Amino acid sequence: IFALYGEPAGTLPEPGRSGYAFDGWYTDPVNGTLVDSNTILTEENNTLYAHWTHAIAAQVNGVDYYTLQEAVNAVPKDGTQTTITLLRDAGDKAIIDAGQNILFDLQSNKLINCENGIMIENNGTLEITNGNLGSTALYGTINNNVGGLLVINGVNISGKNRSAIYNDGGSVIISDGYITSTAIGKPTVASLGRAAIPNINGGNVTITGGTIVGETQQAISNEGTLTIGTPSDGIDTTQPTIIGQ
């Protein structure tokens, strides 16, 4: 990245790289001086370089993996629930296959996708808990496909340019969390993918708690089955917060 001469560096992006931990921005490709938002840049032309450490990202049954996809690949496809534990903030992507049953514990860490493509594509059973997911790519943060079951419990999920959760014919259950999309564009059929949660292709979405926000679009664009709240004797005992344009 480039920064201006004689001024503080200001807010710097936090890039993601699969299998690596981001160490910060430095003045040289090797060694150099660490630069933060308050650093005054003294050269007329400043190029800052990202430094990385090859680091373990996740753990399955006590075994360490450098990337989330490697951890997912270790999960059997026989329906046995297996826990994947995220050990650090990571910039990874993964595809969950049919037959895999994963409990993904983020442990209050962040999973951020800065590359093109979907962050998580679910074709199996996936429960995500305790952390943050976000994508700046021109795709949904999570795609939940036909046959997929996605359970969100206490997770913040954001989509910058597209949806946070794109439910393409699968089933989604949200009990707690903050789901948001900041994608811009007119709320038309052509922009259904920019809602915080598009529910298409006969999908099922059940929201019993949490907050769903479409900051510049719909919170939910529904072409399937949508259930909001938990009915009890005809009265909703929970009321999720849903805000959209």
Side-chain angles (χ1 to χ4, degrees), residues 60-61 74-84 99-105 125-129 149 151:
V60 181
N61 295 326
V75 175
K77 300 180 182 179
D78 60 2
T80 302
Q81 188 180 70
T82 302
T83 298
I84 295 179
Q100 290 185 307
N101 185 345
I102 295 172
L103 172 60
F104 187 21
D105 183 1
T125 298
L126 175 64
E127 180 176 355
I128 308 176
T129 185
L149 171 60
V151 179

Side-chain angles (χ1 to χ4, degrees), residues 1-3 9 12-13 15 21-37 39-41 43 45-53:
I1 65 169
F2 294 92
L12 299 171
F22 176 58
D23 296 328
W25 293 103
Y26 285 75
T27 55
D28 291 291
V30 179
N31 297 320
T33 302
L34 177 64
V35 174
D36 63 23
S37 61
T39 302
I40 301 296
L41 301 166
E43 301 293 332
N45 295 304
N46 293 276
T47 300
L48 304 182
Y49 301 88
H51 281 205
W52 308 90
T53 298

